[in-house]
Amino acid sequence: MTTPAANFNDKAAAPALIEPAAYQALLEKLLAEGKGYGKTKNVGAYFLRDIKFVTEMSDGQSETEVNIKVEKRYIIMDLDQFRSEAVRRLVVEDTAKRWAHKLVGLRDQNSPDFKGAGLWTNKQDSFEFDYLKQDAKDGLSSVWVPNPEAYRVTLAVQDPVCIPCTWGDFTVKKGGTLAVRERDVKELAAALLSIKMGEQTPEQALYAKNEEGKTVAKFDVYGMEPKFRENNYDPISLKPETLAITKAFEPSTHISVTKAAPKTSI
């Protein structure tokens, strides 16, 4: 039975964005205590395409052609919820129709074009590293399979924490998971060690400016919803070279890093 207190806690205000020195310590903990996990579930995915306008002359010949670029992202679907190819295509078509209704003023401009569970998006380079086309010769199939090379280092979160991301910020809920791709561990560890050595501050080593001039995370460390890791990943063994890098952040070393952080923070 859910108590009133539990309901209140679930609806409590989200935590404030983590401070740089605390973010540094959290990333060190991720490398020191993180466990390897790899994707196990196939997904359905569609790549967002540019919109092409062609103006024709009266004789049918093309006069002008304009490509309106869209962000290079994939629409991704949970196959447990969108099981058939036909259903997945209908979801994409319906989303496009809702967008078109906004264009002609038939819908609120701020309303979502899709709202529900089991559908999300990811950038092209990240998605195409995490997944491989199940049948590269079948251009109509939307099924993608996990890439066994796309492993993560992950850490369960005991208390809610709001972390910076490469695209903004994200609140990792209690019971959620902090994650970084194994391929990014070497560069992240180097940045953290540069703070330990006094060569950079946490702000300099871990943050960057995006194209709009907003401060974001430099490394793609992100959060997963509670149970997402357990439902979508299996435990795996990290590569020997990864373990050699993370050894520098094990408890005895981690303590000295944490003590050094305030000296280099602003």
Side-chain angles (χ1 to χ4, degrees), residues 4-205:
N7 285 332
F8 177 81
N9 289 334
D10 288 342
K11 297 177 181 178
L17 183 64
I18 193 169
E19 293 292 329
Y23 183 51
Q24 172 200 346
L26 182 63
L27 295 182
E28 291 169 358
K29 184 178 178 68
L30 170 62
L31 296 189
E33 303 176 14
K35 305 298 182 184
Y37 274 78
K39 284 185 175 293
T40 61
K41 285 189 174 183
N42 295 353
V43 297
Y46 297 87
F47 186 60
L48 292 174
R49 305 291 180 182
D50 295 344
I51 303 172
K52 180 181 290 187
F53 285 90
V54 177
T55 301
E56 290 186 342
M57 296 183 290
S58 58
D59 61 1
Q61 296 296 314
S62 296
E63 181 181 16
T64 60
E65 181 176 307
V66 177
N67 279 338
I68 299 177
K69 299 292 184 180
V70 301
E71 187 177 2
K72 296 183 182 299
R73 298 186 77 90
Y74 278 87
I75 298 175
I76 309 164
M77 298 183 191
D78 184 342
L79 294 186
D80 287 338
Q81 299 187 58
F82 304 97
R83 297 189 177 187
S84 74
E85 194 76 50
V87 168
R88 294 193 291 274
R89 291 178 185 174
L90 285 174
V91 170
V92 174
E93 290 175 6
D94 185 59
T95 301
K97 288 177 182 177
R98 291 174 183 271
W99 173 83
H101 286 167
K102 283 184 181 179
L103 193 66
V104 296
L106 297 179
R107 294 183 71 235
D108 177 8
Q109 296 296 307
N110 295 317
S111 62
D113 299 314
F114 174 87
K115 185 177 182 180
L119 187 151
W120 64 102
T121 71
N122 201 358
K123 292 181 179 179
Q124 180 182 12
D125 58 347
S126 296
F127 178 81
E128 291 180 354
F129 179 78
D130 290 341
Y131 293 92
L132 305 171
K133 196 74 181 290
Q134 185 179 57
D135 185 354
K137 296 180 180 179
D138 186 353
L140 296 179
S141 173
S142 66
V143 178
W144 292 68
V145 299
N147 179 0
E149 290 298 315
Y151 293 157
R152 266 79 163 160
V153 179
T154 68
L155 180 72
V157 172
Q158 301 304 317
D159 297 303
V161 58
C162 183
I163 61 169
C165 297
T166 56
W167 46 265
D169 58 67
F170 181 82
T171 297
V172 189
K173 298 177 183 176
K174 180 180 180 179
T177 304
L178 196 67
V180 63
R181 289 175 175 82
E182 188 175 13
R183 65 174 178 177
D184 296 330
V185 166
K186 182 177 180 180
E187 192 175 355
L188 174 61
L192 291 169
L193 290 174
S194 75
I195 301 172
K196 176 183 178 181
M197 299 301 294
E199 298 169 351
Q200 296 188 87
T201 66
E203 292 86 346
Q204 292 169 335

Side-chain angles (χ1 to χ4, degrees), residues 246-264:
T246 58
K247 187 174 179 63
F249 297 91
E250 289 179 354
S252 59
T253 305
H254 177 67
I255 293 172
S256 64
V257 173
T258 303
K259 288 180 178 179
K263 297 178 182 179
T264 59

